[in-house]
Amino acid sequence: MSEDLIIPKIIINEINKKYSSSEAKKILKELNESYEKAKITPGEAIGVIAAQSLGEPGTQMTLNTKHFAGVAEMSVTQGLPRLIEIFDAKKEPSTPTMTIFLKEPYRDDEEAVKKIAAKILEIKFEDIMESITVNLLDFRIEAQISMESLENYALTLEDVEKTLKNIFSEEDVKVLKKGLVKITPKKEIEVIDLYKLKTKLKDIHIRGIKGITQVLPIKKTRGWIIQTAGTNLKKILLMEEVDPTKTISNNIFEVASVLGIEAARNAIIREIILTLKDQGLNVNLRHIMLIADTMTLEGMIRGVTRYGVSKKQESVLARASFEVPLKHLYNAATRKEKDELKGVIENIMINQTVPVGTGIVKLVVNEAENNKKTIKDKKKKGE
Amino acid sequence: MVIKKMADVYINGRLEGCCDNPKEWVEFIREQRRIGNLPKEVNVAYDEDQNIVFINTEKGRARRPLIVVKNGKSLFTTELYEQLKKGEIDFNDLVKQGVIEYLDAEEEENTLIALDESQLTPKHTHLELSPAIIFGSKASMVPFPEHNLSVRVMIGAKTMKQGIGVYASNYLLRMDTDANILHYPQRPIVNTYIYDVMDYDSHPVGQNMVIAVMSWHGYNMEDAIIFNKSSVERGLFRSTYFRPYFTEELRYPGGQLDSIEIPSKEVKGYRTEKVYRHLEEDGIIYPEAVVNSGDVLVGKTSPPRFLTSLEEFKMGVEERRETSVSVRFKEKGIVDSVLLTDSDAGNKLVGVRIRDQRIPEIGDKFSSRHGQKGVIGMLVPQRDLPFTASGVVPDVIFSPHSIPSRMTVGQLLEIIGGKVGALSGKFVDASPFSSESERELRDTLIELGFKDDGTEIMYDGKTGRQYKARIFIGNSFYLKLKHMVANKIHSRSRGPIQLLTRQPTEGRSKEGGLRLGEMENHCFVAHGASLLLKERFDSDKTKIPVCKKCGNVAIYNKFRKKGMCLICGENTEIGFVEMSYAFKLLLDELKSLCIYPKLNLKDKM
């Protein structure tokens, strides 16, 4: 009995455990039937249907993003630009964000959440300084720290001095009482290097997590969450206050490198659904899953572009028909590639039936068997 | 002590100097301009944020007239108004007097402009001539525009440009391409002030129609409109379409000439005798000839394109090509006029204008002046159309579903206004912001013995039964737009193909096919209709002989029933492969790119 079933083994076991054998038999039979029905028909053009199902709502999307007045929010790329970003598999989203969920004791405490948020926020030297100049006379860099912003970020001059001294080990660092910073190179260097030093100083990381340029604690029904601009999933997940099971990043490549390709697949699905939902559109999950699967099935993320998914197409003609044909044709010629003419596009080009739907069925006549039958029939009729 | 920074002065975008008290100085310049010491074209503006004075005197600035206001009082006094009314002064005098001045965009930034006199405060510097001035000449033509959505006014203005009318009174002398002339243009009953300002009576568009707002057996759904066929037969919205054809007797290098004549039968590319039947001795058609598509208007022959060595030895006259001008595909008409003149190069130029009457038919596009455009869905004889108690039958039935989402309230007012105008025999003013009020119109309707909302009890023309609902009926001005089915209708089952690809030609004038594009093709694939898709693309299918040895396209000799390959010679096996000709072409083109495509043949499973 169980050999005939096509439903996954886990489900069979679970049902067998829960119900008596006669009941389970009935249920399994019914389940098997519905499972069979739910399976897609062989030859169904799922790829084209998925593409159409996502392409059509794409035409209804607006390029403009809507904003609500008075609501604390961050500007996140939405709509068609975001969708294109996901499908093209851009290495870095135009607005990388994270939604950080916190663990039990912290998430209901506003003060604690604000503290965490402040801890996360990256502060560079640039953010706390007032002005920066290159003093060519004394051959040093002078920067004025803004005491006001220092206070805002709850930093002290000592903190800054410490970090600066750590990094500029080859230079003489002096931090005066009023916040004047003087950095003098110990060795003799060129003027250009002094300017390089200036940019380096501006970029110095003082506190927080690298890459996170903005934080915004938001109160949700289930406690506080922190929305960030800029992502650093690896470091955030390591923080003990953070709930690593819920925290998400919209940078798909980052998700892939931190959590693996399966997580990236889920991230793609989640991001597509989210962008569509924002526009009030609804696309069947399976279409999105199919696209996410094709984008991730090689263990790395490939965009739906001529460098990604299209590049991996087997057929030369199919590749050539999609952007830069000459390049593909010349490459195919040098490699002596063979086109088996098995795909849809190639068969349309040569005007043959496409191997989809009714075209996938082939009729094979067993002539030997056929002959026997006709002889039999003739004998019957003759007698 | 604060040192006040001097303001930079830019004249026509170039820094020319500085001034101490920019505000006063700018005011001084303006005063001088108003007095007449400076040209009226000078505009001056002070940008307080940047502390810069801009003076512009150049051409190319859009400027608009405004009434000058001093101390909260308009300079355009009642005295001036009376003088203007009597004709003692005109607009230009007011400009000269400094009562009205033209401002450009930059100077406008320094002003506070009141919309009308009642709003004036001491802070105001200018007064609008009329609030209606925010509309341009075309948008002002829309009646009751302040009751419409702004978008609809714009669409209305846009569709009015496409309306057929009498575009120029000398149209009979002109040879314009695509000219349309309306036969019985009328002056709109409901009108705006700009109509007379622009002297629209000299080049009118459209006609007044009786319009009923109701649905009629579904033939006016989705913006379609029902037309009264009997009205059309009485001449409603008839128009004439003109198309000129030109040809020139060209001179070629080597002293050869085109010649306008009836081509002799020896001429290369001679058509049938029938198409030349209208030509007179000079090779040109006579006026009032009834012509159909393909008929030759001007017979012409040209010298051969290439001089080959063979032809030089040919006996007799040289072979000439036929290059006559004939009536376009799917067009017909009557020859309206023939023009004989010289071209710029001094060659003989023949122009033939064809005229064709266009009677409204299903699919022709019409529009009111409120952007409510639609096509005729059905022409219904008068006997079948609904009628009112007084026996009025509408010319147009317009769907009520076009109203709520577009919110063209102005159109409803126009219909009521048109009804009032038609019943009382006067024109109704519907100028923006100064139109006759809705109340007035409604009251007049009651006085005339109608319901004030414009509705009337109507009866079904087919059964004679009274409709349960009262129908909104009145008069409205309608335009016939230049998009007519006669110019656009097209279908093809078979027809000409392109030489290179063997695929069907493109475009109506070439009897082309309708392309089954990439997205339509995806649709077939999505439905799994694989064999249907193949059949749709069979238009250029061919059987190509292929050499089984080398995979190249081979040659097949039908008479000897033997194939040969250009590479392997005659000693090879040939297989026939069915494919699109376009693919064969692709293979050839690949070869021209030094890519050598081979076809490996296998038996079909």
Side-chain angles (χ1 to χ4, degrees):
Chain A
M1 173 71 197
S2 63
E3 276 80 57
D4 307 336
L5 297 174
I6 53 165
I7 27 181
K9 282 254 161 63
I10 311 167
I11 296 170
I12 298 174
N13 291 340
E14 207 169 302
I15 286 168
N16 278 333
K17 243 188 257 171
K18 264 190 182 169
Y19 300 96
S20 66
S21 64
S22 61
E23 254 184 331
K25 222 176 179 180
K26 247 189 198 170
I27 293 168
L28 282 172
K29 202 188 161 199
E30 198 127 307
L31 208 58
N32 205 39
E33 267 172 30
S34 12
Y35 196 90
E36 188 80 52
K37 269 184 202 162
K39 265 173 37 175
I40 202 109
T41 330
E44 194 80 73
I46 48 168
V48 175
I49 293 172
Q52 288 182 339
S53 303
L54 273 147
E56 197 275 333
T59 62
Q60 297 176 28
M61 283 193 184
T62 40
L63 286 164
N64 311 327
T65 50
K66 50 176 195 291
H67 290 282
F68 302 104
V71 181
E73 62 169 348
M74 254 166 209
S75 79
V76 181
T77 330
Q78 283 178 324
L80 203 60
R82 174 67 185 145
L83 211 61
I84 291 168
E85 211 171 81
I86 300 166
F87 286 140
D88 286 357
K90 270 179 81 178
K91 276 266 147 57
E92 186 90 10
S94 55
T95 48
T97 61
M98 273 194 303
T99 311
I100 301 168
F101 287 81
L102 301 170
K103 275 183 187 157
E104 188 57 79
Y106 306 101
R107 72 176 177 209
D108 298 319
D109 183 0
E110 193 178 338
E111 283 306 309
V113 171
K114 279 192 176 160
K115 246 183 210 167
I116 297 166
K119 206 166 94 182
I120 292 170
L121 182 68
E122 184 187 14
I123 296 163
K124 288 181 179 172
F125 189 76
E126 209 178 356
D127 299 322
I128 53 166
M129 77 184 189
E130 221 158 47
S131 64
I132 187 162
T133 45
V134 178
N135 190 338
L136 286 174
L137 276 179
D138 305 322
F139 218 75
R140 66 177 176 217
I141 297 159
E142 293 174 2
Q144 177 64 48
I145 292 174
S146 155
M147 302 309 275
E148 205 180 326
S149 55
L150 213 61
E151 207 172 308
N152 275 346
Y153 292 127
L155 283 164
T156 57
L157 273 178
E158 284 76 50
D159 295 337
V160 179
E161 193 174 4
K162 224 193 227 166
T163 27
L164 286 181
K165 276 192 173 154
N166 250 337
I167 289 162
F168 293 103
S169 50
E170 286 180 24
E171 287 87 7
D172 187 33
V173 178
K174 261 188 203 159
V175 178
L176 303 180
K177 263 274 153 62
K178 279 190 174 176
L180 190 70
V181 179
K182 287 179 184 171
I183 294 172
T184 325
K186 281 175 192 163
K187 281 186 267 174
E188 226 172 75
I189 57 165
E190 301 264 329
V191 182
I192 285 183
D193 293 320
L194 200 65
Y195 274 96
K196 274 182 190 164
L197 214 63
K198 181 184 153 192
T199 35
K200 192 183 167 190
L201 176 63
K202 269 183 169 177
D203 240 21
I204 294 279
H205 173 86
I206 306 265
R207 196 184 67 190
I209 290 173
K210 256 191 189 163
I212 288 161
T213 53
Q214 245 182 317
V215 283
L216 184 69
I218 301 168
K219 185 155 170 76
K220 288 274 161 81
T221 41
R222 286 174 139 206
W224 289 76
I225 59 164
I226 299 169
Q227 190 86 36
T228 69
T231 59
N232 195 335
L233 199 57
K234 203 172 183 177
K235 287 225 170 115
I236 292 284
L237 289 185
L238 285 173
M239 284 173 65
E240 68 165 320
E241 300 96 332
V242 170
D243 184 351
T245 59
K246 283 181 181 167
T247 299
I248 50 175
S249 156
N250 77 343
N251 186 344
I252 290 153
F253 277 88
E254 190 185 34
V255 173
S257 68
V258 176
L259 297 171
I261 197 72
E262 279 296 324
R265 174 184 171 269
N266 284 327
I268 291 171
I269 295 170
R270 187 194 63 227
E271 289 297 318
I272 293 173
I273 290 174
L274 228 69
T275 31
L276 289 172
K277 228 181 192 173
D278 266 355
Q279 304 272 324
L281 300 167
N282 184 28
V283 173
N284 195 300
L285 176 67
R286 272 155 277 210
H287 300 310
I288 300 164
M289 277 163 69
L290 184 74
I291 287 171
D293 279 340
T294 28
M295 282 174 76
T296 51
L297 95 166
E298 296 229 329
M300 57 191 217
I301 298 157
R302 288 188 290 116
V304 191
T305 57
R306 71 181 116 129
Y307 311 105
V309 172
S310 182
K311 201 180 178 183
K312 294 285 169 183
Q313 273 179 311
E314 208 180 313
S315 163
V316 188
L317 293 173
R319 260 180 288 138
S321 74
F322 180 79
E323 291 175 12
V324 281
L326 270 189
K327 198 181 105 191
H328 285 294
L329 291 172
Y330 277 130
N331 282 342
T334 48
R335 289 187 204 132
K336 204 187 172 193
E337 274 187 58
K338 215 173 182 181
D339 197 319
E340 297 284 340
L341 303 175
K342 279 180 178 163
V344 172
I345 300 164
E346 307 94 276
N347 277 300
I348 287 171
M349 282 170 90
I350 59 167
N351 195 23
Q352 296 289 329
T353 52
V354 288
V356 147
T358 48
I360 211 162
V361 192
K362 294 238 163 76
L363 187 66
V364 184
V365 181
N366 190 339
E367 290 208 358
E369 194 83 0
N370 218 20
N371 286 341
K372 267 187 207 166
K373 267 186 189 170
T374 42
I375 291 162
K376 259 186 194 173
D377 288 348
K378 273 177 189 172
K379 271 181 186 172
K380 265 185 190 173
K381 276 177 189 171
E383 275 169 0
Chain B
M1 196 189 103
V2 184
I3 301 162
K4 227 180 169 186
K5 212 179 152 193
M6 286 169 91
D8 293 342
V9 178
Y10 284 82
I11 299 176
N12 292 332
R14 283 178 68 173
L15 181 60
E16 298 284 356
C18 299
C19 78
D20 277 327
N21 290 318
K23 270 190 178 170
E24 288 164 30
W25 189 63
V26 161
E27 212 44 62
F28 172 74
I29 291 177
R30 283 178 193 150
E31 212 42 64
Q32 293 301 310
R33 179 183 64 198
R34 282 168 197 164
I35 295 167
N37 290 344
L38 278 170
K40 301 281 176 201
E41 286 74 31
V42 172
N43 281 114
V44 58
Y46 174 55
D47 186 339
E48 237 172 297
D49 296 338
Q50 297 182 64
N51 197 28
I52 296 174
V53 175
F54 292 102
I55 299 175
N56 287 312
T57 63
E58 278 177 322
K59 61 179 179 181
R61 292 166 292 136
R63 297 157 80 237
R64 67 195 199 90
L66 289 163
I67 298 171
V68 181
V69 171
K70 279 226 175 100
N71 304 324
K73 285 226 169 95
S74 161
L75 289 189
F76 184 60
T77 52
T78 24
E79 279 166 47
L80 284 170
Y81 173 72
E82 290 299 331
Q83 277 182 313
L84 193 67
K85 216 177 174 186
K86 279 177 199 158
E88 286 164 11
I89 51 165
D90 65 359
F91 191 80
N92 290 328
D93 293 325
L94 290 175
V95 178
K96 264 180 214 158
Q97 285 174 28
V99 175
I100 289 171
E101 64 180 357
Y102 283 90
L103 299 188
D104 69 351
E106 223 146 9
E107 188 169 344
E108 226 179 4
E109 295 292 324
N110 289 165
T111 59
L112 182 63
I113 303 165
L115 261 181
D116 59 60
E117 213 157 355
S118 63
Q119 289 179 0
L120 279 179
T121 62
K123 273 190 173 177
H124 281 102
T125 59
H126 290 86
L127 174 66
E128 208 77 68
L129 295 181
S130 152
I133 214 156
I134 60 164
F135 294 108
S137 64
K138 269 271 101 76
S140 303
M141 296 279 293
V142 178
F144 301 109
E146 72 271 35
H147 296 274
N148 282 347
L149 228 53
S150 62
V151 194
R152 288 289 141 193
V153 179
M154 290 200 282
I155 297 173
K158 216 162 78 188
T159 47
M160 262 188 279
K161 290 185 209 165
Q162 302 174 14
I164 295 176
V166 181
Y167 68 100
S169 5
N170 64 342
Y171 66 91
L172 282 173
L173 304 172
R174 300 167 70 113
M175 295 289 253
D176 298 304
T177 40
D178 262 353
N180 286 290
I181 296 290
L182 188 67
H183 286 190
Y184 308 107
Q186 291 175 350
R187 184 191 164 92
I189 296 173
V190 180
N191 224 339
T192 62
Y193 74 98
I194 203 100
Y195 193 91
D196 291 320
V197 172
M198 295 202 295
D199 190 21
Y200 231 73
D201 274 336
S202 65
H203 49 100
V205 282
Q207 291 178 344
N208 292 296
M209 311 229 268
V210 179
I211 176 169
V213 180
M214 63 183 291
S215 63
W216 198 87
H217 297 258
Y219 284 106
N220 61 347
M221 59 201 260
E222 292 288 335
D223 274 347
I225 47 175
I226 308 285
F227 251 53
N228 185 333
K229 198 176 180 185
S230 311
S231 302
V232 170
E233 280 160 1
R234 285 179 212 119
L236 186 82
F237 275 128
R238 279 184 195 216
S239 63
T240 299
Y241 176 69
F242 292 99
R243 182 189 285 285
Y245 293 83
F246 293 101
T247 190
E248 191 182 342
E249 236 178 23
L250 283 174
R251 288 166 201 277
Y252 295 93
Q256 286 174 304
L257 274 171
D258 280 345
S259 80
I260 289 171
E261 60 186 2
I262 303 176
S264 65
K265 288 185 181 171
E266 283 83 54
V267 165
K268 209 170 159 189
Y270 184 80
R271 299 173 206 181
T272 58
E273 229 168 281
K274 198 186 154 197
V275 297
Y276 299 109
R277 70 189 184 281
H278 295 301
L279 298 188
E280 300 203 307
E281 274 168 38
D282 57 357
I284 303 169
I285 203 162
Y286 56 90
E288 299 303 319
V290 181
V291 287
N292 264 311
S293 110
D295 286 352
V296 171
L297 300 170
V298 182
K300 195 172 91 173
T301 57
S302 303
R305 207 169 279 158
F306 308 104
L307 282 174
T308 55
S309 55
L310 203 97
E311 272 172 306
E312 279 173 30
F313 296 107
K314 239 185 179 177
M315 299 294 287
V317 281
E318 56 167 338
E319 207 166 276
R320 292 179 70 83
R321 287 180 298 131
E322 132 82 79
T323 46
S324 301
V325 181
S326 51
V327 179
R328 279 198 184 198
F329 179 70
K330 272 189 178 169
E331 283 187 17
K332 59 170 176 58
I334 296 162
V335 176
D336 192 55
S337 71
V338 175
L339 177 87
L340 264 162
T341 180
D342 283 349
S343 71
D344 291 346
N347 300 322
K348 187 179 176 188
L349 180 76
V350 183
V352 177
R353 189 174 62 208
I354 286 183
R355 120 176 81 87
D356 187 22
Q357 197 189 66
R358 294 282 157 84
I359 301 166
E361 56 177 320
I362 292 176
D364 280 359
K365 198 175 177 186
F366 291 84
S367 172
S368 74
R369 288 175 291 173
H370 304 267
Q372 291 277 20
K373 48 190 183 228
V375 293
I376 299 184
M378 183 57 94
L379 285 155
V380 186
Q382 184 166 347
R383 58 175 184 274
D384 290 340
L385 282 169
F387 53 90
T388 66
S390 52
V392 173
V393 181
D395 296 314
V396 180
I397 296 177
F398 170 85
S399 172
H401 297 287
S402 318
I403 302 286
S405 58
R406 302 192 235 267
M407 297 185 276
T408 51
V409 181
Q411 183 171 29
L412 304 180
L413 287 173
E414 190 200 340
I415 293 171
I416 292 181
K419 197 171 183 176
V420 169
L423 288 165
S424 55
K426 58 167 193 180
F427 290 108
V428 175
D429 181 36
S431 305
F433 305 113
S434 61
S435 54
E436 283 180 38
S437 74
E438 185 194 342
R439 196 66 263 163
E440 267 172 56
L441 293 173
R442 279 171 178 257
D443 289 345
T444 343
L445 261 188
I446 291 175
E447 273 171 38
L448 291 161
F450 288 86
K451 277 193 82 72
D452 71 333
D453 60 358
T455 58
E456 276 179 54
I457 287 165
M458 287 186 88
Y459 302 89
D460 188 333
K462 284 184 171 172
T463 62
R465 278 205 192 108
Q466 184 187 325
Y467 285 120
K468 277 182 184 163
R470 279 177 285 120
I471 308 291
F472 185 58
I473 184 169
N475 288 60
S476 171
F477 192 68
Y478 252 72
L479 306 152
K480 184 184 190 181
L481 305 184
K482 64 181 178 187
H483 308 285
M484 286 172 282
V485 258
N487 295 329
K488 296 190 170 173
I489 190 165
H490 177 50
S491 68
R492 157 177 173 146
S493 54
R494 339 167 226 189
I497 52 163
Q498 277 163 13
L499 195 68
L500 181 72
T501 59
R502 296 200 189 170
Q503 284 172 353
T505 50
E506 192 198 331
R508 186 181 113 101
S509 57
K510 281 172 273 176
E511 208 193 341
L514 296 161
R515 185 183 151 85
L516 186 97
E518 206 173 349
M519 290 171 90
E520 290 77 14
N521 160 16
H522 288 329
C523 215
F524 276 79
V525 173
H527 279 85
S530 165
L531 292 134
L532 176 63
L533 179 65
K534 182 191 171 286
E535 238 171 63
R536 251 301 333 219
F537 284 135
D538 268 356
S539 58
D540 66 335
K541 87 170 169 190
T542 38
K543 262 191 178 167
I544 301 285
V546 175
C547 174
K548 284 190 179 174
K549 223 186 208 167
C550 67
N552 252 315
V553 174
I555 301 161
Y556 186 72
N557 191 327
K558 259 192 181 170
F559 298 106
R560 287 171 60 201
K561 289 193 175 147
K562 216 175 166 191
M564 69 164 286
C565 171
L566 285 174
I567 291 166
C568 312
E570 287 198 15
N571 220 349
T572 181
E573 225 182 313
I574 301 281
F576 282 93
V577 183
E578 193 187 289
M579 61 171 97
S580 60
Y581 189 80
F583 187 69
K584 192 238 152 198
L585 188 72
L586 174 72
L587 295 179
D588 292 341
E589 286 192 3
L590 286 181
K591 277 175 213 157
S592 76
L593 290 170
C594 302
I595 296 169
Y596 176 28
K598 282 188 226 171
L599 298 169
N600 293 337
L601 300 192
K602 238 191 277 174
D603 276 330
K604 228 179 190 178
M605 236 245 305

